PDB file of all heavy atoms in Angstrom:
ATOM      1  N   LYS A 170      -5.117 121.174 256.819  1.00  0.00           N
ATOM      2  CA  LYS A 170      -4.824 119.762 257.053  1.00  0.00           C
ATOM      3  C   LYS A 170      -3.318 119.546 257.021  1.00  0.00           C
ATOM      4  O   LYS A 170      -2.580 120.163 256.220  1.00  0.00           O
ATOM      5  CB  LYS A 170      -5.499 118.873 256.001  1.00  0.00           C
ATOM      6  CG  LYS A 170      -7.008 119.009 255.993  1.00  0.00           C
ATOM      7  CD  LYS A 170      -7.629 118.442 254.741  1.00  0.00           C
ATOM      8  CE  LYS A 170      -9.125 118.756 254.725  1.00  0.00           C
ATOM      9  NZ  LYS A 170      -9.746 118.317 253.441  1.00  0.00           N
ATOM     10  N   LEU A 171      -2.837 118.650 257.936  1.00  0.00           N
ATOM     11  CA  LEU A 171      -1.392 118.435 258.025  1.00  0.00           C
ATOM     12  C   LEU A 171      -1.144 116.863 257.965  1.00  0.00           C
ATOM     13  O   LEU A 171      -1.790 116.125 258.629  1.00  0.00           O
ATOM     14  CB  LEU A 171      -0.880 118.981 259.337  1.00  0.00           C
ATOM     15  CG  LEU A 171       0.648 119.001 259.459  1.00  0.00           C
ATOM     16  CD1 LEU A 171       1.253 120.058 258.548  1.00  0.00           C
ATOM     17  CD2 LEU A 171       1.057 119.340 260.926  1.00  0.00           C
ATOM     18  N   LEU A 172      -0.251 116.528 257.084  1.00  0.00           N
ATOM     19  CA  LEU A 172       0.207 115.131 257.025  1.00  0.00           C
ATOM     20  C   LEU A 172       1.667 115.069 257.489  1.00  0.00           C
ATOM     21  O   LEU A 172       2.486 115.899 257.110  1.00  0.00           O
ATOM     22  CB  LEU A 172       0.225 114.649 255.562  1.00  0.00           C
ATOM     23  CG  LEU A 172      -1.073 114.177 254.885  1.00  0.00           C
ATOM     24  CD1 LEU A 172      -0.791 113.720 253.474  1.00  0.00           C
ATOM     25  CD2 LEU A 172      -1.704 113.026 255.669  1.00  0.00           C
ATOM     26  N   LEU A 173       1.866 114.134 258.371  1.00  0.00           N
ATOM     27  CA  LEU A 173       3.236 113.968 258.916  1.00  0.00           C
ATOM     28  C   LEU A 173       3.648 112.458 258.835  1.00  0.00           C
ATOM     29  O   LEU A 173       3.070 111.625 259.496  1.00  0.00           O
ATOM     30  CB  LEU A 173       3.284 114.465 260.338  1.00  0.00           C
ATOM     31  CG  LEU A 173       4.561 114.039 261.152  1.00  0.00           C
ATOM     32  CD1 LEU A 173       5.796 114.657 260.546  1.00  0.00           C
ATOM     33  CD2 LEU A 173       4.406 114.475 262.601  1.00  0.00           C
ATOM     34  N   PHE A 174       4.612 112.172 257.984  1.00  0.00           N
ATOM     35  CA  PHE A 174       5.229 110.887 257.904  1.00  0.00           C
ATOM     36  C   PHE A 174       6.535 110.926 258.702  1.00  0.00           C
ATOM     37  O   PHE A 174       7.293 111.860 258.636  1.00  0.00           O
ATOM     38  CB  PHE A 174       5.576 110.494 256.507  1.00  0.00           C
ATOM     39  CG  PHE A 174       4.396 110.332 255.531  1.00  0.00           C
ATOM     40  CD1 PHE A 174       3.781 111.433 254.960  1.00  0.00           C
ATOM     41  CD2 PHE A 174       3.901 109.012 255.306  1.00  0.00           C
ATOM     42  CE1 PHE A 174       2.689 111.245 254.119  1.00  0.00           C
ATOM     43  CE2 PHE A 174       2.839 108.879 254.417  1.00  0.00           C
ATOM     44  CZ  PHE A 174       2.211 109.955 253.832  1.00  0.00           C
ATOM     45  N   GLN A 175       6.780 109.855 259.459  1.00  0.00           N
ATOM     46  CA  GLN A 175       7.981 109.839 260.244  1.00  0.00           C
ATOM     47  C   GLN A 175       8.559 108.439 260.338  1.00  0.00           C
ATOM     48  O   GLN A 175       7.839 107.476 260.582  1.00  0.00           O
ATOM     49  CB  GLN A 175       7.693 110.379 261.649  1.00  0.00           C
ATOM     50  CG  GLN A 175       8.504 109.897 262.783  1.00  0.00           C
ATOM     51  CD  GLN A 175       8.279 110.539 264.071  1.00  0.00           C
ATOM     52  OE1 GLN A 175       9.121 111.304 264.554  1.00  0.00           O
ATOM     53  NE2 GLN A 175       7.157 110.286 264.690  1.00  0.00           N
ATOM     54  N   GLY A 176       9.851 108.332 260.194  1.00  0.00           N
ATOM     55  CA  GLY A 176      10.515 107.001 260.358  1.00  0.00           C
ATOM     56  C   GLY A 176      11.817 107.161 261.112  1.00  0.00           C
ATOM     57  O   GLY A 176      12.610 108.092 260.863  1.00  0.00           O
ATOM     58  N   ILE A 177      12.050 106.354 262.124  1.00  0.00           N
ATOM     59  CA  ILE A 177      13.284 106.316 262.904  1.00  0.00           C
ATOM     60  C   ILE A 177      13.794 104.871 262.823  1.00  0.00           C
ATOM     61  O   ILE A 177      13.080 103.932 263.173  1.00  0.00           O
ATOM     62  CB  ILE A 177      13.110 106.705 264.350  1.00  0.00           C
ATOM     63  CG1 ILE A 177      12.378 108.108 264.445  1.00  0.00           C
ATOM     64  CG2 ILE A 177      14.445 106.794 265.049  1.00  0.00           C
ATOM     65  CD1 ILE A 177      12.054 108.528 265.870  1.00  0.00           C
ATOM     66  N   PHE A 178      15.081 104.733 262.424  1.00  0.00           N
ATOM     67  CA  PHE A 178      15.613 103.412 262.225  1.00  0.00           C
ATOM     68  C   PHE A 178      16.887 103.229 263.076  1.00  0.00           C
ATOM     69  O   PHE A 178      17.775 104.124 263.154  1.00  0.00           O
ATOM     70  CB  PHE A 178      15.975 103.223 260.755  1.00  0.00           C
ATOM     71  CG  PHE A 178      14.739 103.384 259.872  1.00  0.00           C
ATOM     72  CD1 PHE A 178      14.418 104.583 259.345  1.00  0.00           C
ATOM     73  CD2 PHE A 178      13.905 102.290 259.581  1.00  0.00           C
ATOM     74  CE1 PHE A 178      13.261 104.754 258.548  1.00  0.00           C
ATOM     75  CE2 PHE A 178      12.734 102.451 258.862  1.00  0.00           C
ATOM     76  CZ  PHE A 178      12.421 103.714 258.312  1.00  0.00           C
ATOM     77  N   GLN A 179      17.002 102.092 263.722  1.00  0.00           N
ATOM     78  CA  GLN A 179      18.021 101.860 264.680  1.00  0.00           C
ATOM     79  C   GLN A 179      19.419 101.810 264.087  1.00  0.00           C
ATOM     80  O   GLN A 179      20.366 102.179 264.757  1.00  0.00           O
ATOM     81  CB  GLN A 179      17.763 100.489 265.385  1.00  0.00           C
ATOM     82  CG  GLN A 179      16.508 100.526 266.236  1.00  0.00           C
ATOM     83  CD  GLN A 179      16.295  99.188 266.955  1.00  0.00           C
ATOM     84  OE1 GLN A 179      17.241  98.421 267.097  1.00  0.00           O
ATOM     85  NE2 GLN A 179      15.096  98.999 267.445  1.00  0.00           N
ATOM     86  N   LYS A 180      19.554 101.427 262.824  1.00  0.00           N
ATOM     87  CA  LYS A 180      20.848 101.393 262.127  1.00  0.00           C
ATOM     88  C   LYS A 180      20.699 102.106 260.800  1.00  0.00           C
ATOM     89  O   LYS A 180      19.669 102.001 260.160  1.00  0.00           O
ATOM     90  CB  LYS A 180      21.294  99.984 261.947  1.00  0.00           C
ATOM     91  CG  LYS A 180      21.568  99.209 263.223  1.00  0.00           C
ATOM     92  CD  LYS A 180      22.008  97.801 262.990  1.00  0.00           C
ATOM     93  CE  LYS A 180      22.293  97.021 264.224  1.00  0.00           C
ATOM     94  NZ  LYS A 180      22.683  95.610 263.980  1.00  0.00           N
ATOM     95  N   GLU A 181      21.750 102.813 260.438  1.00  0.00           N
ATOM     96  CA  GLU A 181      21.733 103.436 259.131  1.00  0.00           C
ATOM     97  C   GLU A 181      21.918 102.433 257.998  1.00  0.00           C
ATOM     98  O   GLU A 181      22.549 101.394 258.128  1.00  0.00           O
ATOM     99  CB  GLU A 181      22.800 104.506 259.057  1.00  0.00           C
ATOM    100  CG  GLU A 181      24.233 103.998 259.104  1.00  0.00           C
ATOM    101  CD  GLU A 181      25.251 105.091 258.900  1.00  0.00           C
ATOM    102  OE1 GLU A 181      24.988 105.992 258.173  1.00  0.00           O
ATOM    103  OE2 GLU A 181      26.333 104.994 259.503  1.00  0.00           O
ATOM    104  N   GLY A 182      21.314 102.782 256.842  1.00  0.00           N
ATOM    105  CA  GLY A 182      21.516 101.971 255.627  1.00  0.00           C
ATOM    106  C   GLY A 182      20.706 100.730 255.539  1.00  0.00           C
ATOM    107  O   GLY A 182      20.959  99.940 254.674  1.00  0.00           O
ATOM    108  N   THR A 183      19.706 100.541 256.365  1.00  0.00           N
ATOM    109  CA  THR A 183      18.813  99.425 256.195  1.00  0.00           C
ATOM    110  C   THR A 183      17.931  99.505 254.980  1.00  0.00           C
ATOM    111  O   THR A 183      17.640 100.612 254.511  1.00  0.00           O
ATOM    112  CB  THR A 183      17.902  99.179 257.437  1.00  0.00           C
ATOM    113  OG1 THR A 183      17.024 100.292 257.571  1.00  0.00           O
ATOM    114  CG2 THR A 183      18.725  99.049 258.704  1.00  0.00           C
ATOM    115  N   GLN A 184      17.503  98.406 254.455  1.00  0.00           N
ATOM    116  CA  GLN A 184      16.671  98.415 253.258  1.00  0.00           C
ATOM    117  C   GLN A 184      15.332  99.063 253.572  1.00  0.00           C
ATOM    118  O   GLN A 184      14.744  99.742 252.751  1.00  0.00           O
ATOM    119  CB  GLN A 184      16.432  97.021 252.721  1.00  0.00           C
ATOM    120  CG  GLN A 184      15.695  96.970 251.404  1.00  0.00           C
ATOM    121  CD  GLN A 184      16.372  97.674 250.293  1.00  0.00           C
ATOM    122  OE1 GLN A 184      17.573  97.455 250.077  1.00  0.00           O
ATOM    123  NE2 GLN A 184      15.679  98.517 249.558  1.00  0.00           N
ATOM    124  N   GLN A 185      14.893  98.891 254.824  1.00  0.00           N
ATOM    125  CA  GLN A 185      13.621  99.507 255.243  1.00  0.00           C
ATOM    126  C   GLN A 185      13.669 101.015 255.245  1.00  0.00           C
ATOM    127  O   GLN A 185      12.712 101.733 254.836  1.00  0.00           O
ATOM    128  CB  GLN A 185      13.188  98.990 256.615  1.00  0.00           C
ATOM    129  CG  GLN A 185      12.733  97.533 256.657  1.00  0.00           C
ATOM    130  CD  GLN A 185      13.907  96.560 256.543  1.00  0.00           C
ATOM    131  OE1 GLN A 185      15.087  96.906 256.717  1.00  0.00           O
ATOM    132  NE2 GLN A 185      13.650  95.340 256.161  1.00  0.00           N
TER     133      GLN A 185
END
Side-chain angles (χ1 to χ4, degrees):
K170 301 166 186 175
L171 191 70
L172 280 180
L173 167 62
F174 294 82
Q175 152 174 249
I177 307 176
F178 302 91
Q179 296 182 16
K180 297 180 180 179
E181 64 174 328
T183 63
Q184 187 61 47
Q185 289 74 19

